[in-house]
């Protein structure tokens, strides 16, 4: 099967490009709008654990809001990032949550380099990303595995594979101290946007998904769910300098003067 925009990793790694998992500063990873605290860290699995379907990262469930995620991944040293791998469970999964509510794999990701100050508005509209990656639906991987399995001489061999998306232009990813990933929607949200008349920036992926989204309530969004994010490249041995920063994890009333009776977090993070 011919594929554009990505390559298939069939249990091997190119000599000059290895997993960067050991270069990730996991203690400093954070994700905005994650359904569970530190869920973003848990999908940055080791290379050998990349096929594990659990744990996953999900956006918070709100049928009226875009299922956005913003994952910030710092490295312990400057690295050259050659490719990224992102796995979702399905274009529409009914087993993503304990209550059986649907989730959906991401369809695009905006990639930012060396920006730890991003918020959703900046990532969505204000800043040009270093790259925009259009993701193949998870069902595409099943077709690849079937093709490889059918052509294998040993029919008892179990074939596993992931998709690697090369990051272009390569010059933008030569000295990365951090990568931030903005997931603005999923395959199900594309269907919802079409119902609402918003259109879609990635119609080709939606058509390729070939999934029946009729079980979704009209006009409602379902959470984005991701099971794995990984990077390949090489280290540069240039250690990242420590930057002291203070992050406000919970707004304090005394620091944000508002009219009496209007204090709350209806439009923010809690």
């Amino acid at each position: 099967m011919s594929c554009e925009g990505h390559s298939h990793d069939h249990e091997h790694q190119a000599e000059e490009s290895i997993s960067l998992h050991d270069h990730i500063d996991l203690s400093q990873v954070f994700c905005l709008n994650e359904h569970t605290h530190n869920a973003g860290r848990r999908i940055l699995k080791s290379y050998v654990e990349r096929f594990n379907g659990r744990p996953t990262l999900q956006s918070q469930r709100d049928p009226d809001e875009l299922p956005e995620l913003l994952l910030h991944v710092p490295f312990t040293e400057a690295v050259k990032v050659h490719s990224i791998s992102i796995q979702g469970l399905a274009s529409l999964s009914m087993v993503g949550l304990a209550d059986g509510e649907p989730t959906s794999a991401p369809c695009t990701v905006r990639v930012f380099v060396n920006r730890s100050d991003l918020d959703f508005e900046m990532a969505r509209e204000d800043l040009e990303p270093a790259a925009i990656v259009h993701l193949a639906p998870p069902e595409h991987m099943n077709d690849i595995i079937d093709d490889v399995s059918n052509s294998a001489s040993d029919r008892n061999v179990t074939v596993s594979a992931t998709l690697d998306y090369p990051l272009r232009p390569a010059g933008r990813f030569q000295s990365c101290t951090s990568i931030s990933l903005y997931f603005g929607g999923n395959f199900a949200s594309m269907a919802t946007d079409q119902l609402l008349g918003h259109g879609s920036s990635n119609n080709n992926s939606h058509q390729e998904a070939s999934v029946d989204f009729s079980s979704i309530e009209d006009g409602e969004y379902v959470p984005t769910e991701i099971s794995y994010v990984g990077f390949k490249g090489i280290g540069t041995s240039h250690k990242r300098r420590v930057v002291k920063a203070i992050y406000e994890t919970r707004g304090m009333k005394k620091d944000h003067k508002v009219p009496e009776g209007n204090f709350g977090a209806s439009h923010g993070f809690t």
Side-chain angles (χ1 to χ4, degrees):
M1 176 177 292
S2 174
C3 302
E4 298 180 0
H6 59 264
S7 60
H8 307 121
D9 176 10
H10 303 290
E11 295 284 8
H12 64 79
Q13 301 181 60
E15 203 172 296
E16 68 277 7
S17 186
I18 63 172
S19 170
L20 293 174
H21 179 267
D22 290 342
H23 295 276
I24 296 175
D25 188 352
L26 283 173
S27 66
Q28 299 302 311
V29 171
F30 64 85
C31 184
L32 302 183
N33 202 37
E34 59 187 359
H35 74 302
T36 302
H37 183 58
N38 285 338
R41 297 182 185 181
R42 299 187 186 106
I43 63 166
L44 296 167
K45 301 165 186 173
S46 68
Y47 186 76
V48 297
E49 296 176 323
R50 66 194 186 281
F51 299 119
N52 293 348
R54 293 287 186 267
T56 65
L57 165 66
Q58 299 169 29
S59 60
Q60 294 189 32
R61 182 172 296 276
D62 188 334
D64 299 321
E65 297 291 337
L66 281 173
E68 298 175 297
L69 288 165
L70 183 55
L71 177 64
H72 177 68
V73 184
F75 299 99
T76 56
E77 66 179 34
V79 296
K80 297 179 181 179
V81 183
H82 297 160
S83 64
I84 185 173
S85 179
I86 297 170
Q87 295 243 116
L89 297 180
S91 295
L92 184 63
S93 172
M94 301 301 294
V95 295
L97 296 174
D99 57 8
E101 294 291 333
T103 62
S104 181
C107 57
T108 60
V109 57
R110 295 165 66 90
V111 185
F112 298 87
V113 176
N114 301 341
R115 295 298 300 255
S116 61
D117 59 338
L118 294 179
D119 57 27
F120 283 121
E121 185 174 356
M122 294 170 65
R124 185 192 314 118
E125 302 172 0
D126 294 347
L127 293 181
E128 179 183 357
I132 299 176
V133 181
H134 298 284
L135 305 174
E139 293 76 18
H140 171 77
M141 201 67 254
N142 296 333
D143 294 336
I144 298 300
I145 292 174
D146 288 343
D147 286 349
V148 175
S149 298
N150 291 335
S151 62
S153 57
D154 185 352
R155 299 298 180 181
N156 294 320
V157 172
T158 299
V159 177
S160 298
T162 54
L163 297 181
D164 291 340
Y165 297 90
L167 294 177
R168 300 286 187 270
R172 298 181 178 180
F173 301 92
Q174 293 300 298
S175 184
C176 303
T177 57
S178 69
I179 292 285
S180 297
L181 305 175
Y182 169 72
F183 301 94
N186 52 48
F187 286 100
S189 70
M190 293 170 61
T192 298
D193 283 343
Q194 289 183 348
L195 285 172
L196 296 176
H198 296 168
S200 172
S201 61
N202 193 20
N203 287 326
N204 290 335
S205 291
H206 184 214
Q207 293 169 1
E208 187 180 358
S210 299
V211 172
D212 181 10
F213 294 102
S214 60
S215 60
I216 302 175
E217 293 291 333
D218 289 354
E220 290 192 355
Y221 292 108
V222 303
T224 295
E225 184 170 29
I226 305 168
S227 61
Y228 171 72
V229 169
F231 304 91
K232 285 184 181 178
I234 57 176
T236 65
S237 298
H238 295 150
K239 294 296 183 181
R240 178 167 57 90
R241 292 186 300 174
V242 175
V243 178
K244 292 184 178 180
I246 298 175
Y247 297 96
E248 183 182 31
T249 57
R250 184 177 295 274
M252 301 299 293
K253 186 174 182 178
K254 62 183 178 65
D255 297 327
H256 304 272
K257 299 298 183 181
V258 296
E260 184 177 356
N262 291 337
F263 180 74
S266 60
H267 299 289
F269 299 104
T270 59

